[in-house]
């Protein structure tokens, strides 16, 4: 039988849509409408397993799935030995210490002897141990933000993205202790056929992720400004240059980092660039 790679993704939650999006941008489609437990993809020998995120590291470790997409926090908290093969960048959040107003927090040492509620005892406990702080961890599986109010904890360590939840519960975020985003995890002991499938999948993911951070830019420029323009654009190899019918003018094309785009745009305008055209890139390689 031909090899099939199996991937565990979150059935329904913050990771679900984006996990499917990134795979779909790789030309791999899956019918996840009914969100059944298992579904075979088309366009690539990939089988999806839709499960709760907490179960993903364990399923990959046990061989129920070969790879998975999960928050780095869930992976680290699981403690299972797998490889993080890619940081996919989405669902980013931080694990922070939050205290009620009036708690005089000056650093982690302020937590000495306190009760700290969290859903991440391994990550939080590991950090406190490393800093030589002894505190009592109150492990709760949800609604960590209410534990101070109901009197079971003095402070909390919870995931934060916008900070609204903490504010609404009268807590101050005082220190970020860990950062997370969605990662792809994999078992190390896959057979060669599956390893080859994973290599092909990662190559596609890299092409998609690289393209997401770039814009393709095309413009006309007086030829004598070319060396300066090339310096402004930077990145990649040299830009593609085509002569125009108008003597002394060239057409230039290149990929540009999205983060630098406006700075590049303004510099090119200053150099006399005209007819600037900017396009999204769907996929690209180095
Ligand atoms: O049902 P299942 O077990 O699969 O899902 P789940 O409810 O356990 O997880 P889910 O879907 O809520 O989160 C999945 C992953 O998303 C987490 O493991 C994180 O890696 C990531 N993520 C990103 C977040 C957040 N941002 C986030 N803000 N996970 C949780 N939160 C919670 C946080 O715990 C707090 O309650 O959102 C609240 C804070 O949000 P703000 O915006 O008010 O700060
Ligand atoms: Zn969960």
């Amino acid at each position: 039988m031909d090899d099939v790679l199996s991937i565990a993704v979150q059935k329904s939650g913050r990771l679900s849509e984006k996990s499917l999006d990134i795979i779909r941008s790789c030309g791999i489609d899956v019918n996840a409408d009914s969100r059944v437990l298992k579904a075979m993809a088309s366009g690539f020998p990939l089988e999806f397993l839709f499960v709760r995120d907490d179960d993903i590291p364990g399923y990959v470790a046990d061989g129920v799935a070969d790879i998975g997409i999960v928050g780095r926090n869930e992976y680290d908290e699981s403690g299972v030995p797998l490889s993080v093969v890619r940081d996919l960048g989405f669902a980013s959040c931080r694990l922070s210490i939050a205290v009620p107003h009036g708690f005089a927090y000056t650093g982690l040492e302020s937590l000495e002897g306190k009760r700290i509620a969290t859903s991440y005892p391994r990550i939080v406990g590991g950090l406190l141990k490393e800093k030589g702080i002894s505190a009592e961890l109150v492990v709760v599986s949800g609604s960590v933000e209410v534990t101070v109010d109901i009197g079971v904890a003095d402070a909390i360590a919870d995931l934060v993205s916008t900070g609204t939840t903490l504010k609404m519960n009268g807590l101050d975020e005082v220190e970020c202790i860990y950062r997370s985003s969605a990662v792809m995890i994999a078992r190390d002991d896959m057979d060669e056929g599956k390893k080859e499938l994973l290599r092909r999948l990662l190559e596609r993911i890299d092409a998609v992720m690289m393209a997401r951070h770039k814009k393709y830019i095309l413009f006309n420029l007086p030829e004598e400004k070319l060396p300066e323009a090339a310096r402004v654009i930077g990145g990649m190899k040299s830009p593609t240059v085509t002569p125009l019918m108008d003597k002394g003018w060239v057409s230039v094309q290149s990929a540009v980092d999205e983060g630098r785009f406006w700075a590049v745009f303004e510099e090119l305008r200053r150099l006399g660039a005209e007819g600037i055209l900017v396009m999204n890139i769907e996929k690209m390689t180095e």
Side-chain angles (χ1 to χ4, degrees), residues 218-272:
L218 259 123
F219 54 92
N220 298 333
L221 189 79
E223 195 169 3
E224 82 258 16
K225 299 288 186 190
L226 206 48
E228 269 184 89
R231 261 198 306 280
V232 169
I233 297 168
M236 304 208 36
K237 291 187 186 141
S238 45
T240 306
V241 180
T242 331
L244 291 181
M245 289 252 284
D246 263 352
K247 228 176 140 358
W249 281 75
V250 287
S251 160
V252 184
Q253 346 185 344
S254 183
V256 171
D257 281 339
E258 179 148 42
R260 292 179 54 236
F261 176 75
W262 288 109
V264 169
F265 177 88
E266 283 165 11
E267 274 296 290
L268 292 177
R269 287 295 284 164
R270 198 183 56 75
L271 292 174

Side-chain angles (χ1 to χ4, degrees), residues 187-243:
R187 258 179 317 121
D188 291 318
D189 61 350
M190 275 182 259
D191 63 40
E192 286 308 314
K194 289 189 177 196
K195 275 190 183 149
E196 173 59 14
L197 289 176
L198 176 57
R199 193 197 59 73
R200 283 175 53 204
L201 180 63
L202 289 176
E203 190 172 61
R204 293 191 190 188
I205 288 178
D206 289 344
V208 169
M209 292 213 316
M210 193 166 174
R212 281 184 184 172
H213 299 117
K214 302 267 188 188
K215 295 277 178 206
Y216 201 72
I217 182 167
L218 259 123
F219 54 92
N220 298 333
L221 189 79
E223 195 169 3
E224 82 258 16
K225 299 288 186 190
L226 206 48
E228 269 184 89
R231 261 198 306 280
V232 169
I233 297 168
M236 304 208 36
K237 291 187 186 141
S238 45
T240 306
V241 180
T242 331

Side-chain angles (χ1 to χ4, degrees), residues 141-153:
S141 58
S143 303
V144 186
E145 64 280 358
V146 305
T147 53
V148 173
D149 216 22
I150 61 176
V152 299

Side-chain angles (χ1 to χ4, degrees), residues 10 12-15 51-54 71-74 91-93 120 145 158-166 180:
Q10 189 185 28
S12 138
R14 289 168 202 266
L15 305 171
V51 293
R52 285 199 55 184
D53 69 341
D54 318 51
R72 191 181 282 275
N73 52 297
E74 285 297 336
S92 58
C93 56
Y120 298 94
E145 64 280 358
D158 198 16
L159 294 180
V160 185
S161 49
T162 60
T164 314
T165 306
L166 293 181
S180 177

